[in-house]
Amino acid sequence: MRDEMSASNRKAQDVPGQVLAALMTSHEVAVSLYNILPAKLHAALSLAAQSGKQVEIFCHTYPDSMYLITLLQAGIHLYEMTETVSDCLYVDRQKAYRLPDYLPLADAFAGACHLSWQRVGYYAYYEGCVAPYETDAKFMRLFEYPRILFERPTGLPAPTAGQRAGLLAYRDFIVGALDRPLFEVVRVVMPDPQASKTALCHRGR
């Protein structure tokens, strides 16, 4: 996978001091993502999100579904775009940097706005107890989120009613206009009956 090819070049690279300073004083951060984030930038963005800053990542073809769960669990908002873009970091729509070398870029405002205009849907991660759903086997619900309907694509393992599971799910903005939120399940995180570890089952979109 492409994230495996680039990961070794991104693990140890420091975030430049001027970029860290911009992140610390920012209100809104946006990243266009093609590969996985440099590890230290990932940590800095997670910290920014947990401190209450608006951190958004935009991707067209996501690097890895488990990686997306990691981003969402850090409080980062995750959107899908209509087109492939290179990796860039935008801070308050005033500063822009190319990744992974942090080269400053011009037209930060236009670039950040372009990301927002290209959004077609978003990802979310839900954990809960699977509720019975008798109408159609390809749909499922969680007791903790009774209004949300999850569509399970063919070939994706189905947790049984009463079992706890985590769902990485995608919601299209057009389909999302329905009265009842409808998400497409991308990955199911469920317990492995043969071991104490968690088994990860996924299907690419």
Side-chain angles (χ1 to χ4, degrees), residues 3 11 18 21 47 55 63 73 90 100-101 108 121 135-137 148-149 157-158 169 181-182 185 189 197 203:
D3 53 318
K11 287 183 180 178
Q18 71 271 21
L47 182 61
V55 180
Q73 289 179 325
Y90 299 89
D101 55 11
T135 305
D136 191 324
I148 299 177
L149 189 62
L182 175 63
V185 177
V189 182
K197 294 182 179 181
R203 170 185 182 275

Side-chain angles (χ1 to χ4, degrees), residues 4-43:
E4 294 173 348
M5 293 186 292
S6 61
S8 61
N9 297 325
R10 293 172 170 245
K11 287 183 180 178
Q13 186 167 354
D14 288 332
V15 182
Q18 71 271 21
V19 178
L20 282 177
L23 289 175
M24 289 178 61
T25 59
S26 67
H27 298 286
E28 175 186 326
V29 180
V31 179
S32 55
L33 183 64
Y34 179 74
N35 294 289
I36 65 173
L37 292 168
K40 293 187 178 180
L41 178 60
H42 182 141

